[in-house]
């Protein structure tokens, strides 16, 4: 069991983080300061250190040296995000902004521990976001593989483009619905590029308050605004020599867009409140789920910036467009979640596999991962059913072959004989035939289960096809 040290002076935050990690099968020790951690523990013996940046006495970055190679995850508020970037230059493995999302924290911890295990096996150190990104997404720079799950034709086409684009310094715009894995593509582009050993700085433009976005990206001088007691470097400057990934770039304010355009055109930045510019060497990768061209036409996005970004455009297909990939991804998520709860017996039932394949997944990969995690937590038997996944398959989502496959063959039951559906029956005909033949001796719940749909879907299809529900016999349910 991995052993994690939490160093945080705020008792409430420290206790909450300890409980979160312990619930997820981690052994946890805690301290309120660097000095207390030194006095109580042998710091290099831990697998991971999670520390606040600002601590009484010495800052959390002191633990980087004291850990002697133990990865250090720095926690910080947005107000001190610059210092977090500086801490990464000092050797911190990653940073996470407070208040943090529980899932985000758990993913970061699992990723860093996985990196550490892989690095120990290969004899390499665990440092910086570059190595994090490689391990997180399975990208192996040694053989040039792109570690994104899926082999459908649209993804194969995407992989081919990534291999061609990655070695260049061209700006890239990644387009796709929310939850499709745009950051995975950005990580692959960085890790397969000549900048792989330099940092990749990721920024979610929608997550930073509009009043802070320019200062966060481009830095500021002392006295540039109220509270600017010292000059700070921006995230663009922190990415110098590496890659800057701007997620949800469609949310970037127009003023910040103008500054970003100067970075792309002139290769230089000017901090907020400064009259001097400085050169930066940054490759920009941007991502969005919005139509930037349409936003440009109505004045919500700079047209000149759009064309600067649109040098190379990569389109990520939605999960519903990826065919059998969805089951492959679900299986990978199942393996990951099963390991987290120490279960080796879990597998998807047939109805779950069919549900996964035919559900439209409006939330894409992120929704699929959440559904699998929930099912693993709630599952009490070795098989995960469709019901545990919490998704509802409509008949309209299935074609005739899928639908027939969902309805099991029936023998004699209640004096009625179930006939095999014939090839000339349409889906609508088969539905009507099956319901009329079995509703006298089956409940609505049983009918829905045999058809592989929800009761709500069964009721709606009855209404549309004009098949009244019987009010007598076993078909009546309280």
């Amino acid at each position: 069991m991995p052993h994690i040290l939490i160093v945080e002076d705020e008792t409430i935050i420290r206790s909450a983080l300890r409980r979160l990690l312990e619930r997820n099968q981690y052994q946890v020790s805690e301290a309120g300061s660097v000095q207390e951690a030194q006095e109580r523990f042998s710091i290099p013996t831990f697998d991971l250190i999670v520390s606040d940046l600002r601590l009484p006495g010495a800052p959390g970055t002191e633990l980087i040296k004291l850990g002697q190679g133990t990865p250090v995850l720095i926690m910080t508020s947005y107000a001190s995000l610059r210092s977090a970037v500086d801490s990464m230059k000092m050797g911190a493995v990653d940073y996470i902004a407070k208040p943090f999302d529980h899932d985000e924290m758990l993913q970061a911890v699992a990723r860093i521990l996985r990196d550490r295990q892989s690095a120990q096996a290969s004899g390499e150190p665990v440092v910086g976001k570059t190595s994090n990104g490689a391990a997180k997404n399975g990208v192996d720079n040694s053989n040039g593989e792109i570690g994104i799950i899926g082999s459908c034709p649209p993804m194969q086409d995407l992989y081919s483009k990534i291999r061609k684009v990655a070695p260049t310094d061209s700006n890239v715009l990644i387009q796709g619905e929310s939850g499709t894995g745009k950051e995975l593509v950005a990580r692959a582009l960085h890790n397969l590029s000549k900048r792989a050993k330099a940092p990749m700085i990721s920024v979610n433009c929608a997550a930073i308050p509009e009043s802070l976005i320019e200062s966060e990206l481009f830095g500021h001088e002392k006295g540039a605004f109220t509270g600017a007691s010292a000059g700070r470097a921006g995230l663009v400057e922190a990415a110098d020599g590496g890659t800057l990934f701007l997620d949800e770039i469609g949310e970037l304010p127009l003023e910040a867009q103008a500054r970003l355009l100067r970075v792309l055109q002139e290769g230089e930045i000017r901090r907020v409140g400064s009259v001097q510019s400085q050169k930066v060497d940054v490759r920009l990768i941007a991502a969005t789920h919005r139509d930037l061209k349409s936003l440009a036409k109505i004045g919500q996005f700079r047209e000149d910036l759009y064309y600067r970004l649109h040098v190379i455009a990569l389109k990520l297909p939605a999960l519903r467009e990826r065919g059998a990939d969805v089951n492959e991804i679900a299986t990978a998520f199942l393996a990951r979640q099963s390991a987290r709860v120490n279960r080796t017996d879990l597998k998807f039932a047939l109805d779950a596999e069919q549900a996964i394949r035919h559900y439209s997944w409006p939330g894409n990969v992120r929704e699929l991962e959440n559904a699998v995690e929930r099912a693993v937590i709630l599952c009490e038997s070795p098989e995960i059913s469709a019901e545990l996944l919490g998704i509802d398959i409509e008949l309209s989502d299935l074609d005739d072959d899928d639908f027939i496959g969902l309805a099991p063959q029936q023998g004699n039951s209640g004096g009625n004989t179930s006939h095999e559906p014939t090839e000339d029956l349409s889906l609508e005909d088969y539905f009507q035939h099956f319901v009329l033949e079995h509703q006298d001796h089956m409940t609505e719940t049983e009918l829905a289960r045999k058809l592989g749909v929800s009761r709500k879907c069964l009721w709606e299809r009855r209404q549309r096809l004009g098949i009244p529900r019987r009010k007598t016999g076993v078909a009546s349910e309280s």
Side-chain angles (χ1 to χ4, degrees):
M1 180 184 295
H3 194 181
I4 300 174
L5 172 63
I6 301 172
V7 186
E8 167 63 67
D9 60 324
E10 295 188 42
T11 305
I12 294 177
I13 296 177
R14 188 171 70 240
S15 299
L17 181 54
R18 186 194 70 242
R19 291 194 298 270
L20 173 67
L21 294 174
E22 287 178 342
R23 285 200 305 268
N24 285 271
Q25 314 304 315
Y26 296 114
Q27 181 183 353
V28 180
S29 297
E30 56 182 277
S33 67
V34 174
Q35 182 178 354
E36 182 185 347
Q38 282 183 281
E39 293 173 351
R40 295 181 56 192
F41 309 111
S42 174
I43 295 176
T45 63
F46 289 93
D47 297 297
L48 170 64
I49 301 168
V50 182
S51 175
D52 192 7
L53 180 61
R54 299 182 182 276
L55 294 168
T61 49
E62 285 294 308
L63 293 161
I64 298 171
K65 178 175 62 178
L66 296 172
Q68 301 177 20
T70 299
V72 177
L73 172 63
I74 291 292
M75 298 185 292
T76 183
S77 64
Y78 274 121
S80 57
L81 200 54
R82 296 290 62 67
S83 300
V85 174
D86 292 340
S87 71
M88 286 189 60
K89 293 181 178 180
M90 297 170 63
V93 71
D94 209 340
Y95 65 86
I96 189 168
K98 295 194 300 184
F100 53 80
D101 177 78
H102 283 194
D103 288 339
E104 182 184 3
M105 174 61 79
L106 291 173
Q107 289 170 7
V109 168
R111 167 170 47 84
I112 294 169
L113 290 171
R114 192 162 59 244
D115 290 355
R116 176 179 170 83
Q117 184 177 11
S118 299
Q120 287 175 335
S122 61
E124 297 178 356
V126 182
V127 291
K129 277 199 168 186
T130 300
S131 59
N132 277 1
K136 175 181 178 181
N137 301 316
V139 179
D140 183 350
N141 288 330
S142 63
N143 56 27
E145 290 300 316
I146 299 173
I148 302 175
I149 299 172
S151 56
C152 66
M155 293 303 292
Q156 292 292 348
D157 181 59
L158 177 64
Y159 302 153
S160 176
K161 290 178 179 177
I162 289 174
R163 292 188 181 97
K164 292 177 182 177
V165 173
T168 74
D169 275 337
S170 297
N171 301 327
V172 180
L173 179 62
I174 305 170
Q175 299 168 305
E177 297 178 8
S178 295
T180 49
K182 295 186 286 294
E183 186 170 358
L184 298 183
V185 175
R187 292 282 181 187
L189 287 167
H190 174 74
N191 286 302
L192 296 176
S193 76
K194 59 187 179 183
R195 298 172 180 263
K197 294 182 180 179
M200 172 177 166
I201 303 297
S202 300
V203 184
N204 188 325
C205 298
I208 302 177
E210 187 171 338
S211 59
L212 295 177
I213 188 71
E214 287 191 67
S215 172
E216 295 296 312
L217 284 177
F218 308 105
H220 64 264
E221 295 295 341
K222 180 180 179 180
F225 50 84
T226 303
S229 57
R232 294 287 187 184
L235 291 168
V236 176
E237 197 173 334
D240 191 19
T243 303
L244 177 67
F245 173 55
L246 296 182
D247 197 7
E248 300 298 348
I249 196 170
E251 310 303 323
L252 198 64
L254 290 172
E255 294 81 359
Q257 291 179 29
R259 287 181 177 270
L260 181 61
L261 183 63
R262 183 173 182 83
V263 175
L264 300 181
Q265 289 178 333
E266 309 295 337
E268 61 183 28
I269 61 168
R270 188 169 65 239
R271 294 183 181 182
V272 176
S274 175
V275 294
Q276 295 183 331
S277 298
Q278 62 185 92
K279 289 291 185 179
V280 289
D281 174 22
V282 172
R283 184 194 192 175
L284 181 65
I285 300 175
T288 182
H289 71 282
R290 306 183 69 181
D291 185 344
L292 297 186
K293 191 171 185 179
S294 296
L295 292 179
K297 289 181 179 179
I298 60 177
Q300 293 185 8
F301 197 86
R302 291 184 64 107
E303 191 172 26
D304 47 3
L305 178 58
Y306 168 72
Y307 287 113
R308 280 284 179 177
L309 294 173
H310 203 265
V311 177
I312 301 290
L314 299 180
K315 176 71 174 178
L316 256 175
L319 190 56
R320 62 182 173 275
E321 299 168 353
R322 294 179 56 180
D325 281 2
V326 63
N327 292 93
E328 185 180 353
I329 296 170
T331 300
F333 285 151
L334 177 60
R336 181 188 304 174
Q337 297 300 332
S338 295
R340 286 178 59 181
V341 297
N342 295 320
R343 292 191 64 174
T344 59
D345 60 332
L346 292 178
K347 64 178 182 178
F348 292 118
L350 178 60
D351 67 333
E353 291 180 349
Q354 292 167 331
I356 289 169
R357 174 66 179 84
H358 297 290
Y359 180 55
S360 61
W361 297 110
N364 292 293
V365 178
R366 188 178 297 121
E367 182 185 5
L368 173 59
E369 183 174 17
N370 291 340
V372 173
E373 180 179 1
R374 178 175 57 248
V376 168
I377 293 172
L378 298 177
C379 189
E380 296 179 351
S381 66
E383 285 200 341
I384 293 176
S385 66
E387 182 180 3
L388 277 178
L389 290 170
I391 56 179
D392 190 16
I393 303 300
E394 298 290 339
L395 286 176
S396 57
D397 293 334
L398 309 178
D399 58 31
D400 290 9
D401 292 337
D402 297 321
F403 187 65
I404 291 170
L406 284 172
Q409 298 178 7
Q410 301 289 320
N412 291 341
S413 179
N416 292 333
T417 303
S418 176
H419 304 289
E420 291 294 325
T422 59
E423 293 184 0
D424 59 346
L425 279 179
S426 69
L427 175 59
E428 306 288 2
D429 291 337
Y430 178 66
F431 176 90
Q432 187 167 359
H433 173 83
F434 188 90
V435 171
L436 290 175
E437 183 173 9
H438 295 287
Q439 66 179 354
D440 287 340
H441 60 274
M442 294 173 65
T443 65
E444 291 294 288
T445 299
E446 291 170 334
L447 277 173
R449 185 181 299 117
K450 294 299 183 183
L451 289 167
V453 298
S454 66
R455 283 189 50 171
K456 176 177 178 289
C457 179
L458 173 61
W459 180 84
E460 289 175 345
R461 189 55 62 99
R462 274 184 178 275
Q463 301 303 306
R464 193 165 70 79
L465 296 180
I467 308 173
R469 179 178 167 183
R470 294 290 176 89
K471 300 296 182 182
T472 59
V474 294
S476 298
E477 296 177 302
S478 57

